Amino acid sequence: MLTLAVLISGTGSNLRALLEAASEPSFPARVVVVGADREADGLAHAEAFGIPSFVVPWRGAAERAAWGAELAEQLAVWQPDLVVLSGLMKLLPPPVVAEYAPRIINTHPAYLPEFPGAHGVRDALAAGAKQTGASVIVVDDGVDAGPILAQRRVPVLPDDDEASLHERIKPVERELLIETVRRIATGDLDLAAPVPIS
Ligand code: GAR
Protein backbone atom coordinates (compact mmCIF):
# COMPACT_ATOMS: atom_id res chain seq x y z
CA MET A 1 0.00 0.00 0.00
CA LEU A 2 1.50 3.33 -1.12
CA THR A 3 1.35 5.98 1.61
CA LEU A 4 0.70 9.59 0.63
CA ALA A 5 1.36 12.96 2.26
CA VAL A 6 -0.72 15.65 0.55
CA LEU A 7 0.24 19.34 0.77
CA ILE A 8 -2.30 22.08 0.10
CA SER A 9 -2.82 25.84 0.39
CA GLY A 10 -6.47 26.30 -0.54
CA THR A 11 -9.90 24.75 -0.68
CA GLY A 12 -8.54 21.26 -1.24
CA SER A 13 -11.17 20.06 -3.71
CA ASN A 14 -8.60 17.87 -5.45
CA LEU A 15 -7.44 16.59 -2.05
CA ARG A 16 -11.03 15.65 -1.27
CA ALA A 17 -11.32 13.67 -4.50
CA LEU A 18 -8.10 11.85 -3.64
CA LEU A 19 -9.35 11.11 -0.12
CA GLU A 20 -12.57 9.72 -1.58
CA ALA A 21 -10.69 7.53 -4.05
CA ALA A 22 -8.26 6.34 -1.36
CA SER A 23 -11.10 5.36 0.95
CA GLU A 24 -12.15 2.67 -1.57
CA PRO A 25 -10.71 -0.62 -0.30
CA SER A 26 -9.49 -1.53 -3.78
CA PHE A 27 -7.47 1.69 -4.22
CA PRO A 28 -3.76 0.88 -3.77
CA ALA A 29 -2.80 4.07 -1.85
CA ARG A 30 -3.75 5.75 1.42
CA VAL A 31 -3.42 9.36 2.56
CA VAL A 32 -1.56 9.28 5.89
CA VAL A 33 -1.23 13.02 6.51
CA VAL A 34 -2.26 16.38 5.04
CA GLY A 35 -0.06 19.45 5.45
CA ALA A 36 -0.54 23.11 4.62
CA ASP A 37 1.39 26.38 4.60
CA ARG A 38 -1.56 28.21 6.19
CA GLU A 39 -4.86 27.48 7.95
CA ALA A 40 -6.26 26.31 4.61
CA ASP A 41 -9.99 25.59 4.24
CA GLY A 42 -9.08 22.24 2.70
CA LEU A 43 -7.77 20.94 6.04
CA ALA A 44 -11.43 20.33 6.89
CA HIS A 45 -11.45 17.48 4.35
CA ALA A 46 -8.63 15.76 6.23
CA GLU A 47 -10.59 16.09 9.45
CA ALA A 48 -13.75 14.73 7.80
CA PHE A 49 -11.83 11.61 6.73
CA GLY A 50 -10.06 11.25 10.09
CA ILE A 51 -6.65 11.97 8.58
CA PRO A 52 -4.07 13.82 10.72
CA SER A 53 -2.95 17.22 9.51
CA PHE A 54 -0.34 19.86 10.26
CA VAL A 55 0.30 23.50 9.36
CA VAL A 56 3.75 24.99 8.89
CA PRO A 57 2.94 28.68 8.37
CA TRP A 58 4.65 30.46 5.49
CA ARG A 59 6.66 33.35 6.92
CA GLY A 60 7.90 34.95 3.69
CA ALA A 61 10.48 34.14 1.04
CA ALA A 62 13.43 35.09 3.30
CA GLU A 63 12.38 32.23 5.60
CA ARG A 64 11.89 29.63 2.83
CA ALA A 65 14.79 27.40 3.93
CA ALA A 66 13.66 27.31 7.59
CA TRP A 67 10.05 26.74 6.51
CA GLY A 68 11.14 23.87 4.29
CA ALA A 69 13.19 22.30 7.09
CA GLU A 70 10.18 22.42 9.40
CA LEU A 71 7.96 20.97 6.71
CA ALA A 72 10.48 18.15 6.15
CA GLU A 73 10.49 17.43 9.90
CA GLN A 74 6.71 17.08 9.89
CA LEU A 75 6.78 14.85 6.80
CA ALA A 76 9.49 12.66 8.33
CA VAL A 77 7.12 11.71 11.14
CA TRP A 78 4.91 9.99 8.54
CA GLN A 79 7.58 8.60 6.20
CA PRO A 80 5.32 8.89 3.15
CA ASP A 81 6.13 6.90 0.03
CA LEU A 82 4.88 9.78 -2.12
CA VAL A 83 4.38 13.51 -1.50
CA VAL A 84 1.49 15.02 -3.47
CA LEU A 85 1.38 18.80 -3.99
CA SER A 86 -2.31 19.42 -4.52
CA GLY A 87 -2.62 23.18 -4.75
CA LEU A 88 0.39 24.00 -2.54
CA MET A 89 1.09 27.55 -3.72
CA LYS A 90 4.71 27.68 -2.51
CA LEU A 91 7.91 26.34 -4.06
CA LEU A 92 9.57 23.68 -1.93
CA PRO A 93 13.20 24.51 -1.12
CA PRO A 94 15.79 22.32 -2.92
CA PRO A 95 16.75 20.22 0.18
CA VAL A 96 13.12 19.09 0.59
CA VAL A 97 12.87 18.26 -3.11
CA ALA A 98 16.19 16.38 -2.91
CA GLU A 99 15.01 14.36 0.09
CA TYR A 100 11.97 12.98 -1.72
CA ALA A 101 12.80 13.26 -5.45
CA PRO A 102 11.47 11.75 -7.64
CA ARG A 103 8.69 10.84 -5.18
CA ILE A 104 7.03 14.29 -5.23
CA ILE A 105 4.28 15.02 -7.73
CA ASN A 106 2.31 18.20 -8.44
CA THR A 107 -0.98 18.96 -10.14
CA HIS A 108 -1.14 22.05 -12.34
CA PRO A 109 -4.11 23.71 -14.06
CA ALA A 110 -2.52 24.07 -17.51
CA TYR A 111 -1.05 21.94 -20.27
CA LEU A 112 2.61 22.17 -19.27
CA PRO A 113 5.06 23.43 -20.39
CA GLU A 114 2.43 26.04 -21.32
CA PHE A 115 1.53 28.50 -18.54
CA PRO A 116 3.64 27.37 -15.55
CA GLY A 117 3.57 29.21 -12.23
CA ALA A 118 1.01 30.42 -9.74
CA HIS A 119 -1.53 31.74 -12.29
CA GLY A 120 -1.81 29.02 -14.91
CA VAL A 121 -5.52 29.60 -15.59
CA ARG A 122 -5.30 33.41 -15.64
CA ASP A 123 -2.24 33.32 -17.91
CA ALA A 124 -3.97 31.03 -20.45
CA LEU A 125 -6.93 33.43 -20.64
CA ALA A 126 -4.66 36.48 -20.90
CA ALA A 127 -2.79 34.84 -23.78
CA GLY A 128 -6.07 34.28 -25.64
CA ALA A 129 -5.47 30.51 -25.73
CA LYS A 130 -8.24 28.49 -27.37
CA GLN A 131 -7.36 25.49 -25.26
CA THR A 132 -5.46 24.89 -22.07
CA GLY A 133 -5.43 21.79 -19.89
CA ALA A 134 -4.32 20.00 -16.76
CA SER A 135 -1.05 18.28 -15.95
CA VAL A 136 0.49 16.07 -13.28
CA ILE A 137 4.28 16.29 -13.09
CA VAL A 138 7.25 15.16 -11.03
CA VAL A 139 8.52 18.07 -8.92
CA ASP A 140 12.08 19.21 -9.46
CA ASP A 141 13.83 22.47 -8.59
CA GLY A 142 12.25 24.35 -11.49
CA VAL A 143 8.83 26.01 -11.59
CA ASP A 144 6.42 23.37 -12.94
CA ALA A 145 9.28 22.10 -15.10
CA GLY A 146 9.64 18.46 -14.03
CA PRO A 147 8.83 15.38 -16.12
CA ILE A 148 5.17 15.19 -17.19
CA LEU A 149 3.31 12.13 -15.91
CA ALA A 150 -0.16 12.82 -17.31
CA GLN A 151 -1.94 15.66 -19.06
CA ARG A 152 -5.13 16.38 -20.94
CA ARG A 153 -6.48 19.29 -22.97
CA VAL A 154 -9.43 21.42 -21.81
CA PRO A 155 -11.06 23.86 -24.27
CA VAL A 156 -11.35 27.55 -23.38
CA LEU A 157 -14.93 28.73 -24.05
CA PRO A 158 -15.61 32.25 -25.43
CA ASP A 159 -17.34 33.44 -22.24
CA ASP A 160 -14.91 31.82 -19.80
CA ASP A 161 -13.53 33.81 -16.90
CA GLU A 162 -10.79 32.56 -14.57
CA ALA A 163 -13.24 30.95 -12.15
CA SER A 164 -15.37 29.15 -14.76
CA LEU A 165 -12.34 27.85 -16.64
CA HIS A 166 -10.65 26.69 -13.43
CA GLU A 167 -13.82 24.85 -12.37
CA ARG A 168 -13.81 22.96 -15.70
CA ILE A 169 -10.10 22.14 -15.40
CA LYS A 170 -10.26 20.81 -11.83
CA PRO A 171 -12.33 17.68 -12.57
CA VAL A 172 -9.78 16.77 -15.25
CA GLU A 173 -6.95 17.35 -12.76
CA ARG A 174 -8.69 15.08 -10.27
CA GLU A 175 -9.02 12.25 -12.75
CA LEU A 176 -5.39 12.58 -13.81
CA LEU A 177 -4.15 12.80 -10.21
CA ILE A 178 -6.07 9.76 -9.02
CA GLU A 179 -5.04 7.73 -12.06
CA THR A 180 -1.41 8.79 -11.68
CA VAL A 181 -1.32 7.83 -7.99
CA ARG A 182 -2.94 4.49 -8.86
CA ARG A 183 -0.35 3.83 -11.59
CA ILE A 184 2.52 4.71 -9.24
CA ALA A 185 1.10 2.49 -6.51
CA THR A 186 0.68 -0.50 -8.81
CA GLY A 187 4.15 -0.08 -10.32
CA ASP A 188 2.65 0.70 -13.74
CA LEU A 189 4.39 4.08 -13.68
CA ASP A 190 8.06 4.36 -12.74
CA LEU A 191 8.78 7.86 -11.41
CA ALA A 192 12.45 7.49 -12.25
CA ALA A 193 11.66 6.86 -15.94
CA PRO A 194 8.15 8.20 -16.55
CA VAL A 195 6.21 7.73 -19.78
CA PRO A 196 3.36 10.29 -19.94
CA ILE A 197 -0.26 9.27 -20.52
CA SER A 198 -3.09 11.45 -21.82
C1 GAR B 1 -5.60 23.29 -8.46
O1 GAR B 1 -6.14 23.70 -9.69
C2 GAR B 1 -4.10 23.10 -8.58
O2 GAR B 1 -3.71 22.59 -9.80
C3 GAR B 1 -3.62 24.51 -8.44
O3 GAR B 1 -4.37 25.00 -7.36
C4 GAR B 1 -5.67 24.42 -7.43
C5 GAR B 1 -6.05 23.92 -6.06
O4 GAR B 1 -7.41 23.65 -6.01
N1 GAR B 1 -2.21 24.54 -8.22
C6 GAR B 1 -1.40 25.41 -8.82
O5 GAR B 1 -1.80 26.31 -9.53
C7 GAR B 1 0.07 25.23 -8.51
N2 GAR B 1 0.87 25.97 -9.43
P1 GAR B 1 -8.06 22.94 -4.76
O6 GAR B 1 -7.47 23.60 -3.52
O7 GAR B 1 -9.53 23.18 -4.89
O8 GAR B 1 -7.69 21.48 -4.86
Side-chain angles (χ1 to χ4, degrees):
M1 184 66 68
L2 193 83
T3 60
L4 312 175
V6 185
L7 301 180
I8 64 167
S9 294
T11 57
S13 62
N14 291 349
L15 160 68
R16 178 152 193 120
L18 189 55
L19 285 166
E20 284 168 1
S23 66
E24 294 290 328
S26 61
F27 195 76
R30 292 285 173 268
V31 179
V32 293
V33 70
V34 175
D37 65 327
R38 64 194 76 177
E39 292 294 340
D41 289 346
L43 292 170
H45 301 307
E47 197 180 349
F49 280 77
I51 306 295
S53 65
F54 63 83
V55 176
V56 179
W58 177 250
R59 300 179 294 265
E63 295 281 323
R64 183 187 304 280
W67 173 77
E70 225 179 289
L71 192 74
E73 257 176 50
Q74 292 285 337
L75 289 174
V77 173
W78 302 94
Q79 299 277 309
D81 297 320
L82 183 71
V83 177
V84 178
L85 309 189
S86 184
L88 181 75
M89 300 308 283
K90 294 287 176 288
L91 291 180
L92 292 178
V96 182
V97 174
E99 192 176 332
Y100 285 94
R103 297 179 297 114
I104 314 182
I105 65 172
N106 183 34
T107 66
H108 185 73
Y111 199 87
L112 292 168
E114 300 168 6
F115 311 117
H119 305 292
V121 181
R122 191 184 306 172
D123 293 347
L125 280 172
K130 296 279 178 287
Q131 54 177 359
T132 179
S135 306
V136 179
I137 61 168
V138 177
V139 174
D140 64 10
D141 286 334
V143 178
D144 299 322
I148 294 165
L149 300 173
Q151 60 185 170
R152 196 177 303 158
R153 285 288 184 188
V154 174
V156 179
L157 302 182
D159 56 352
D160 261 335
D161 59 17
E162 188 176 350
S164 67
L165 181 55
H166 205 165
E167 282 315 304
R168 284 211 325 289
I169 292 171
K170 278 187 182 183
V172 178
E173 277 190 73
R174 285 170 203 146
E175 261 185 54
L176 294 178
L177 175 61
I178 290 164
E179 179 62 6
T180 300
V181 169
R182 195 191 60 73
R183 292 184 69 216
I184 294 168
T186 58
D188 184 42
L189 178 58
D190 178 3
L191 285 174
V195 178
I197 54 159
S198 57

